């Protein structure tokens, strides 16, 4: 599945929720669906900023990926584990946006991705920007991270759906 088609799939998932459901926080230290979407969008734009940084580079970088970066790109995505960010990077995502806000942001993200996809193949692959965990990545690799990150969060979305369904079931059975 292409990365843009994957984001379209996330958009179709979003249609199935109410605004109240997307903001539901099932338990402490667990994000809402809205927070997960916000995280995906914010991180995607950070990755796309690095794509643009690679495009502006004027000096070749011949260093490569870290060991984990090589692993990540060899398997084509993040491993199926929960990844805990360092405390200084672990910012609570926004939980105030509506479905319409998120949909608009996903559309803007897709437009930006389409624009950058057309440029990426024309740049020197040795123009790289360092990622803190994955090592030196070129524009194509930074762009690929967007899709890898969205695919990684599909499992989290499924878990949140299960928690939301359980909450709805409990609410319905206790109110009768």
């Amino acid at each position: 599945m292409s990365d843009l088609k994957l984001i379209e799939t996330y958009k179709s998932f979003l249609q199935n929720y109410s605004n109240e459901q997307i903001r539901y926080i099932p338990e402490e230290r667990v994000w809402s669906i809205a927070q997960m979407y916000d995280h995906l969008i914010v991180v995607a734009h950070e990755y796309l900023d690095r794509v643009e940084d690679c495009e502006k580079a004027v000096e070749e970088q011949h260093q490569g990926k870290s060991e984990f970066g090589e692993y990540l790109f060899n398997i084509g995505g993040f491993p199926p584990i929960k990844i805990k960010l360092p405390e200084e990077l672990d910012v609570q995502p926004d939980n105030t946006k509506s479905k319409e806000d998120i949909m608009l942001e996903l559309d803007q993200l897709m437009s930006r991705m389409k624009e950058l996809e057309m440029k990426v193949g024309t740049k020197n692959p040795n123009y790289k920007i360092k990622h803190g965990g994955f090592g030196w990545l070129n524009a194509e690799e930074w762009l690929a991270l967007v899709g890898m990150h969205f695919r990684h969060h599909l499992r989290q979305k499924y878990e949140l759906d299960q928690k939301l369904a359980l909450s709805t079931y409990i609410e319905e059975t206790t109110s009768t």
Side-chain angles (χ1 to χ4, degrees):
M1 176 184 304
S2 80
D3 296 343
L4 293 171
K5 187 170 175 97
L6 177 61
I7 296 172
E8 281 291 346
T9 302
Y10 268 90
K11 287 173 57 178
S12 70
F13 291 152
L14 190 59
Q15 294 301 325
N16 298 319
Y17 306 109
S18 69
N19 280 317
E20 294 74 31
Q21 288 174 318
I22 67 169
R23 292 188 195 113
Y24 171 71
I25 296 177
E27 57 195 69
E28 194 176 322
R29 286 185 244 153
V30 174
W31 290 346
S32 69
I33 292 166
Q35 287 175 302
M36 181 195 71
Y37 273 86
D38 183 66
H39 167 75
L40 286 167
I41 293 165
V42 167
V43 170
H45 280 294
E46 289 173 4
Y47 291 162
L48 296 179
D49 290 346
R50 299 300 78 77
V51 170
E52 290 176 340
D53 291 343
C54 288
E55 290 180 343
K56 296 174 192 169
V58 292
E59 190 176 316
E60 290 191 9
Q61 176 54 254
H62 294 285
Q63 293 186 58
K65 296 176 201 69
S66 66
E67 186 177 332
F68 186 70
E70 286 292 343
Y71 171 72
L72 183 83
F73 280 89
N74 283 335
I75 66 169
F78 292 90
I81 58 171
K82 292 186 180 189
I83 299 172
K84 179 75 174 135
L85 293 173
E87 217 172 284
E88 65 273 7
L89 299 175
D90 195 12
V91 178
Q92 276 293 89
D94 190 347
N95 196 34
T96 63
K97 294 177 184 166
S98 68
K99 285 175 30 174
E100 294 75 20
D101 294 335
I102 295 169
M103 195 67 73
L104 178 63
E105 289 183 9
L106 288 169
D107 287 338
Q108 292 167 341
L109 173 64
M110 290 175 68
S111 293
R112 188 175 180 203
M113 286 176 68
K114 287 176 191 173
E115 182 182 311
L116 289 173
E117 278 179 347
M118 292 189 304
K119 298 178 183 177
V120 159
T122 64
K123 296 298 173 184
N124 182 334
N126 289 319
Y127 290 166
K128 301 176 185 179
I129 302 295
K130 188 174 185 179
H131 182 284
F134 310 144
W136 292 90
L137 306 178
N138 64 32
E140 273 187 53
E141 292 162 334
W142 279 104
L143 187 59
L145 278 180
V146 175
M148 288 182 194
H149 191 234
F150 268 84
R151 281 189 298 281
H152 177 69
H153 280 275
L154 283 171
R155 196 180 70 223
Q156 179 187 18
K157 186 218 165 289
Y158 175 75
E159 290 172 3
L160 291 172
D161 284 345
Q162 297 305 305
K163 291 177 187 295
L164 183 59
L166 179 60
S167 165
T168 303
Y169 173 76
I170 291 170
E171 187 177 299
E172 289 171 355
T173 57
T174 57
S175 64
T176 54

